[in-house]
Amino acid sequence: MGSLIHRAWIAVRAAGTVSPASPAGYRFRRLGEGACLSFPVGAVFGEAWIEIGAHTLVGERVSISAGMGPGVDLGPDSIVRIGGSCSIGRGSHIVGHQSIDIGDHVFTGPYVYITDQNHVYDDPETPIGRQWPRNNPVVIGSGSWLGAGSIILPGTRIGRQCVVAGGAVVRGEFPDHSVIAGVPARIVRHYVAGEGWLPPHLGTVRAETGVPHPGEAGIGGARTEPAGSVGTA
């Protein structure tokens, strides 16, 4: 009986997987060749504004959404873009309202949360959940790894080939080849050509903010959120 149940579950999972050839796959703006969303699928809506590249694997119970809810016209452009050959860990959430760009070959651990929207608290008398939220685009560079349980907040720009430690809460801008950790997240390692991976005080990036020294190339460090914003959506 146990073997029969396991075989049946394998068949159900295969039948429930969303792929370019399945009816559910047609709802996406783009679902590349070999891409799939594993069964059981999480909350997915706004597919017409979601692009997923070729050979990207989306794990079980991953929620991907564009907009506040189903059935809303979000305009002519896509909102959530996930590149090719990515792996999105089970239980993760990607919540897009304006623009989330995830490059190619990006891997995440389970339960990663990525959003481009914050609730605000400008009016002290109105419940925070009823105040109009604030959007800020998110970019995650190709080849990066996001550890389990990390949170990527609105306005974040992560460069190429970066590592985000598990549980980090990331907000701001970080250059290519950074190791980002902590709450709030800071650069703890940065790759310097010819020298390898160095702590910030030995590389070209200031430890306190992740900002390159004046005159150096690269993306800046953690920005502060505008007044009236909370750190999660």
Side-chain angles (χ1 to χ4, degrees), residues 12 17-18 22 31 37 53-54 59 72 80 102 143 147 158 166 180 183 185 189 201 203 205 207 215 218 226 231:
V12 167
T17 296
V18 177
S22 66
L31 192 57
L37 284 75
V72 179
V80 176
I102 299 174
I158 296 173
I180 305 160
V183 181
R189 289 287 187 276
H201 67 281
V205 180

Side-chain angles (χ1 to χ4, degrees), residues 63-220:
S63 295
I64 307 175
S65 63
M68 291 285 191
V72 179
D73 186 351
L74 303 175
D77 301 322
S78 58
I79 289 176
V80 176
R81 294 167 293 278
I82 303 173
S85 300
C86 295
S87 178
I88 309 300
R90 68 184 180 277
S92 295
H93 288 65
I94 301 173
V95 182
H97 296 85
Q98 181 179 354
S99 177
I100 295 178
D101 259 309
I102 299 174
D104 298 328
H105 304 283
V106 172
F107 284 64
T108 86
Y111 308 109
V112 169
Y113 187 83
I114 303 169
T115 184
D116 63 356
Q117 185 175 90
N118 268 343
H119 295 294
V120 299
Y121 50 91
D122 299 311
D123 185 348
E125 302 302 325
T126 302
I128 292 171
R130 297 189 180 279
Q131 297 187 45
W132 196 253
R134 183 174 291 128
N135 300 330
N136 206 342
V138 168
V139 176
I140 298 172
S142 294
S144 293
W145 160 257
L146 310 182
S150 56
I151 299 173
I152 311 300
L153 295 175
T156 297
R157 295 178 62 89
I158 296 173
R160 296 175 56 256
Q161 303 286 123
C162 288
V163 174
V164 175
V169 178
V170 184
R171 182 178 64 191
E173 301 187 3
F174 301 85
D176 298 347
H177 305 108
S178 297
V179 179
I180 305 160
V183 181
R186 294 288 187 267
I187 294 173
V188 296
R189 289 287 187 276
H190 182 69
Y191 184 78
V192 178
E195 299 183 52
W197 293 89
L198 302 176
H201 67 281
L202 295 179
T204 60
V205 180
R206 290 203 299 266
E208 296 81 8
T209 63
V211 183
H213 290 298
E216 292 171 348
I219 302 175

Side-chain angles (χ1 to χ4, degrees), residues 13-67:
R13 290 180 62 186
T17 296
V18 177
S19 70
S22 66
Y26 297 143
R27 295 199 292 264
F28 287 83
R29 171 161 296 200
R30 183 171 70 90
L31 192 57
E33 178 185 1
C36 71
L37 284 75
S38 301
F39 181 86
V41 178
V44 178
F45 59 82
E47 293 97 322
W49 292 272
I50 298 172
E51 300 182 33
I52 300 177
H55 306 293
T56 284
L57 171 64
V58 177
E60 299 175 6
R61 298 181 176 86
V62 171
S63 295
I64 307 175
S65 63

